[in-house]
Amino acid sequence: MKGFAMGRLFIKLTIIISVVILLFMPVNKFVRDSYDYNINHEILAFKKQPYPVDIINLGASHSMYGYYFKPTGLSHLDLALPAQTIQYDFKLLKEYGKYLKPGGVVIVSISQITFANSEAKHIGNYYKVLDRNEIEPFNLIDYYSYLYLPGTNSERFHSALAGKLKNFKWNSHQPWANNGKNYSGRKYTKIEKQYQEAVENNNIERNVKQLREIVDYCSEKGYQVILTMEPVHQSYLEYFNEEVMNRLVFQYLKALKLDVPFLNYMSDQRFVNKKEYFIDPDHLNREGRKMFSWIVYEDLKKMGYLMSDPS
């Protein structure tokens, strides 16, 4: 009788496990196929089939949505990812900078979070595009579960779900509600909190030092480097005005005294009141980045960069 009872228990457990697996499989596929989980697909594709490039851009989401140089004839590698820290900018540059052509340009995007952003929030973005030794913090269990069982990652599941439900947000939380002011206000509150935490934890100095190291590294390697700031909408500028930007960014840039160009397009009048160029108040859309990339391309040529014909 005892053996019979154990056999029944084993059958029940097998059924339960099978049901759980069957239920989990579509969840796993849902996350694996989501936009955010595959946000690094262009870098991954480049890693598999690399080629010489004329221009590389680093930075966070403003940079990732900011540049598209293909219409100019330039070969381009976008190494920017959402909420990317300047530490990971440097890691990616060291990994992929070797593909930059002689005389090529590295664009280092400076945003409101550049000096305040100290925690890499989406480590999984780097699992396939960087060597494990470059990933901090690294956890072997998290690594394999993220790659093969992404449905177990609650952050990615919520992100995938939010992507599907983005059109069902409350009206007040839509990107252009109140002409973008609601969105911009929320971003301001979030970044202010992040900045205060960075000041309290002495992370600002570390990030400022890292920017200098990136510029020095580019100089050592013979890369031409520029700093940029991408355009935003007027509703965003109302919160991130000159006084706020001086406190968050410009005071630190000024103190660094870097001998490299800084192209600040943040309040560029060709974009500032044109909602049709933006996904939301601080990210360019397809048409916006095409136009902006042409502007940057022409400005770089005027400054004597990219003088050789793209090939």
Side-chain angles (χ1 to χ4, degrees):
M1 290 293 292
K2 185 176 180 181
F4 178 73
M6 289 296 293
R8 290 183 64 185
L9 178 61
F10 177 76
I11 291 171
K12 286 182 179 178
L13 287 173
T14 301
I15 292 172
I16 291 171
I17 292 170
S18 298
V19 170
V20 169
I21 291 173
L22 287 171
L23 291 173
F24 176 72
M25 286 174 64
V27 173
N28 205 50
K29 186 177 186 305
F30 171 67
V31 176
R32 188 188 296 277
D33 293 343
S34 67
Y35 175 79
D36 277 5
Y37 184 77
N38 294 285
I39 197 76
N40 62 358
H41 69 279
E42 291 187 8
I43 304 175
L44 185 58
F46 183 89
K47 182 179 181 180
K48 292 177 179 177
Q49 291 186 307
Y51 51 86
V53 295
D54 298 292
I55 196 160
I56 287 174
N57 64 290
L58 307 171
S61 58
H62 289 180
S63 181
M64 186 183 79
Y65 288 103
Y67 300 99
Y68 181 68
F69 289 103
K70 187 175 181 179
T72 69
L74 295 177
S75 53
H76 165 220
L77 176 59
D78 184 351
L79 293 178
L81 288 168
Q84 185 157 283
T85 64
I86 197 166
Q87 284 74 33
Y88 273 92
D89 281 339
F90 198 16
K91 291 174 186 288
L92 287 166
L93 178 62
K94 288 189 288 186
E95 179 70 24
Y96 295 97
K98 59 191 174 187
Y99 298 108
L100 196 66
K101 295 178 183 178
V105 173
V106 176
I107 293 177
V108 181
S109 171
I110 304 297
S111 76
Q112 300 78 56
I113 66 170
T114 296
F115 298 125
N117 191 18
S118 57
E119 180 184 357
K121 298 177 177 63
H122 308 299
I123 292 293
N125 288 343
Y126 306 102
Y127 284 155
K128 292 183 179 181
V129 299
L130 283 175
D131 186 274
R132 288 189 202 175
N133 296 324
E134 293 296 327
I135 296 171
E136 303 174 81
F138 180 80
N139 180 288
L140 196 62
I141 294 174
D142 289 344
Y143 174 79
Y144 282 109
S145 64
Y146 187 91
L147 294 183
Y148 302 108
L149 298 170
T152 62
N153 186 290
S154 59
E155 179 188 346
R156 283 308 187 200
F157 174 74
H158 291 145
S159 180
L161 190 61
K164 290 293 184 183
L165 300 177
K166 64 183 178 181
N167 293 326
F168 298 95
K169 291 180 180 179
W170 296 328
N171 288 338
S172 63
H173 278 66
Q174 293 290 343
W176 294 107
N178 193 21
N179 197 34
K181 292 180 181 179
N182 293 0
Y183 171 97
S184 301
R186 290 193 300 271
K187 287 293 291 282
Y188 174 77
T189 300
K190 178 182 177 181
I191 291 172
E192 271 293 339
K193 180 180 178 183
Q194 189 177 18
Y195 177 74
Q196 292 305 323
E197 289 174 353
V199 170
E200 292 169 7
N201 295 323
N202 297 316
N203 289 325
I204 301 286
E205 184 177 345
R206 181 168 71 105
N207 290 339
V208 170
K209 181 181 178 183
Q210 187 74 91
L211 177 58
R212 178 174 290 283
E213 289 174 353
I214 289 174
V215 171
D216 289 345
Y217 178 82
C218 288
S219 177
E220 291 169 10
K221 293 293 183 179
Y223 308 153
Q224 299 191 84
V225 60
I226 64 164
L227 311 182
T228 62
M229 190 168 281
E230 295 74 30
V232 299
H233 186 258
Q234 179 61 39
S235 58
Y236 201 79
L237 284 175
E238 290 178 16
Y239 286 91
F240 293 91
N241 55 37
E242 186 175 350
E243 179 184 349
V244 171
M245 291 302 297
N246 279 335
R247 180 164 49 83
L248 297 179
V249 177
F250 298 144
Q251 63 166 318
Y252 304 111
L253 281 181
K254 184 177 180 180
L256 273 173
K257 298 180 180 178
L258 298 172
D259 187 24
V260 297
F262 176 41
L263 305 181
N264 183 2
Y265 300 96
M266 187 174 180
S267 59
D268 193 299
Q269 293 302 304
R270 290 166 287 190
F271 295 90
V272 73
N273 290 309
K274 301 290 184 65
K275 285 203 303 188
E276 62 267 29
Y277 290 142
F278 293 92
I279 299 171
D280 51 44
D282 63 328
H283 295 99
L284 293 168
N285 62 18
R286 185 188 300 269
E287 291 305 312
R289 64 177 163 267
K290 283 182 182 178
M291 177 177 171
F292 177 57
S293 297
W294 269 109
I295 290 170
V296 174
Y297 172 63
E298 294 295 342
D299 286 347
L300 288 175
K301 287 202 300 180
K302 290 175 185 174
M303 294 164 56
Y305 292 79
L306 305 169
M307 295 305 292
S308 59
D309 292 331
S311 59

